[in-house]
Amino acid sequence: MDAIERGLAYLETRQLEQGGWWVCVSGTPYFEKSELRHDVFTAAFILREIAELSPTWIQPTLDFLNHHRRKDGLWGFYKRGDLHILPMDFDTSSCTGAALALAQPDIDLTAVQEQLNAYRAPQGGYWVYAMPEKAPPGWVFPIMENVQNEHIINAHILVFQAITGIIPPEHLAYLLDILRDKRYEEKQLFYGSNLLFLYNIARAYAYIKQAPPPELLDQAIAYAPGNALGRAYLLKILSVCQPDHPLIPTLTTQLIASQGRDGSWENAVFHRNPILYYGSPEITTAVVLQALNDGTIQQSSKSAY
């Protein structure tokens, strides 16, 4: 069994009866003092990464995501206390929309696209406001007041747009300006890795079928990922930007060697709010499988086990 098959088998064994996967919100890699959650975003993000591998066991995940779709056709935010994202959670809706567009190509995602259009900022990105459920008119959660949605969430939206084939030129231009100026290195509110921004841009360009900007490869190479999640981000970027890049065999070998006996790859920093949260092995495994799912890379994906 090769590494991809073993990784998929791991995700299948970890899949919950409801169709998603647990994720621990923990400030340490060992999930000390952690909060276990089972949410739409985690299920959607994992499915987005593995849908093109066509696993036969994803129907419960599809049912779970479709069940949590609201009557208005959107998906909401995981609630903590009295805060939530209005009118929809752009991150959850764009990742869920991308995942379902890959797994269910005939699904109608017009509501997501229309809501995005309604909240595009003049600069080309998208706005989001965190508000209490019973807020007075005009109240805005202070840390989000009058700020544009963070860059990685905008890049998640770009992946959704690329998969569905509807990319507003001004949004792509906005993100490419951020890329060229390296503004994605500004403090992120919700994510812990700058490579995730570059990874999402690469994923979008895989569907756009255009040559990625040279800055994408140059800036990704400058990072030195020290864990499987970072190596998977970088491997995917390289495979999109330069499929014959000499680092691809090295990164592939490192990822194969670091796969656990159960078929997983270790969790690493994924979210922050405001401290760093260490995601889950399921999230890392899904990203690694996406990175390894390339015609040239698969030839080297034989597992050590």
Side-chain angles (χ1 to χ4, degrees):
M1 184 182 295
D2 71 10
I4 292 176
E5 292 171 336
R6 294 184 63 248
L8 286 173
Y10 168 78
L11 290 176
E12 182 180 13
T13 63
R14 299 290 295 174
Q15 187 183 38
L16 300 171
E17 183 179 353
Q18 299 96 319
W21 289 268
W22 290 117
V23 60
C24 285
V25 178
S26 172
T28 74
Y30 309 106
F31 298 140
E32 297 168 356
K33 298 180 180 179
S34 61
E35 172 192 338
L36 202 62
R37 72 164 77 150
H38 171 220
D39 59 19
V40 171
F41 175 85
T42 301
F45 184 84
I46 290 173
L47 180 60
R48 191 194 79 169
E49 301 304 282
I50 66 171
E52 291 162 308
L53 288 162
S54 301
T56 59
W57 39 264
I58 62 170
Q59 189 59 49
T61 305
L62 298 176
D63 294 342
F64 173 71
L65 295 177
N66 283 304
H67 173 74
H68 283 277
R69 192 175 191 182
R70 301 186 323 211
K71 291 181 179 180
D72 59 5
L74 307 174
W75 285 269
F77 181 64
Y78 170 83
K79 295 183 179 181
R80 175 188 291 277
D82 64 350
L83 295 177
H84 64 171
I85 303 296
L86 295 177
M88 70 168 181
D89 177 32
F90 290 85
D91 212 13
T92 300
S93 289
S94 60
C95 280
T96 308
L100 292 178
L102 291 171
Q104 297 178 316
D106 58 343
I107 190 169
D108 183 2
L109 296 167
T110 305
V112 180
Q113 293 159 345
E114 290 179 347
Q115 197 64 55
L116 286 170
N117 291 337
Y119 279 80
R120 186 181 305 129
Q123 299 93 330
Y126 295 92
W127 299 89
V128 63
Y129 298 94
M131 302 180 68
E133 292 182 0
K134 297 181 180 179
W139 190 95
V140 178
F141 188 45
I143 66 168
M144 299 293 288
E145 185 171 6
N146 296 325
V147 296
Q148 202 155 352
N149 203 356
E150 71 163 31
H151 306 323
I152 288 176
I153 295 179
N154 266 279
H156 277 151
I157 293 171
L158 183 67
V159 176
F160 163 72
Q161 293 170 330
I163 290 172
T164 57
I166 303 174
I167 303 178
E170 58 270 34
H171 187 220
L172 180 59
Y174 166 76
L175 287 172
L176 292 183
D177 283 344
I178 290 172
L179 172 67
R180 294 186 186 100
D181 297 340
K182 299 183 74 172
R183 297 205 308 274
Y184 59 86
E185 293 186 336
E186 298 170 358
K187 183 179 179 181
Q188 296 287 333
L189 289 174
F190 302 118
Y191 290 97
S193 172
N194 291 320
L195 268 174
L196 179 54
F197 175 83
L198 302 177
Y199 172 77
N200 276 321
I201 300 298
R203 291 233 35 210
Y205 268 93
Y207 301 107
I208 296 172
K209 303 298 183 182
Q210 297 177 7
E215 294 91 346
L216 180 59
L217 177 61
D218 295 341
Q219 293 179 25
I221 292 294
Y223 289 97
N227 55 53
L229 184 60
R231 292 187 185 105
Y233 289 153
L234 181 55
L235 178 59
K236 182 64 180 184
I237 295 166
L238 295 179
S239 68
V240 170
C241 294
Q242 186 180 331
D244 62 348
H245 196 282
L247 275 179
I248 286 179
T250 300
L251 288 168
T252 302
T253 299
Q254 291 174 340
L255 285 171
I256 301 305
S258 64
Q259 187 176 27
R261 291 183 178 275
D262 61 358
S264 71
W265 280 269
E266 287 186 351
N267 58 303
V269 168
F270 187 73
H271 280 115
R272 70 162 79 231
N273 190 22
I275 65 172
L276 299 177
Y277 291 153
Y278 278 77
S280 69
E282 291 88 339
I283 288 175
T284 302
T285 299
V287 176
V288 173
L289 294 179
Q290 169 61 222
L292 292 177
N293 184 32
D294 179 274
T296 57
I297 294 172
Q298 284 191 35
Q299 300 301 316
S300 305
S301 65
K302 295 301 180 183
S303 172
Y305 297 104

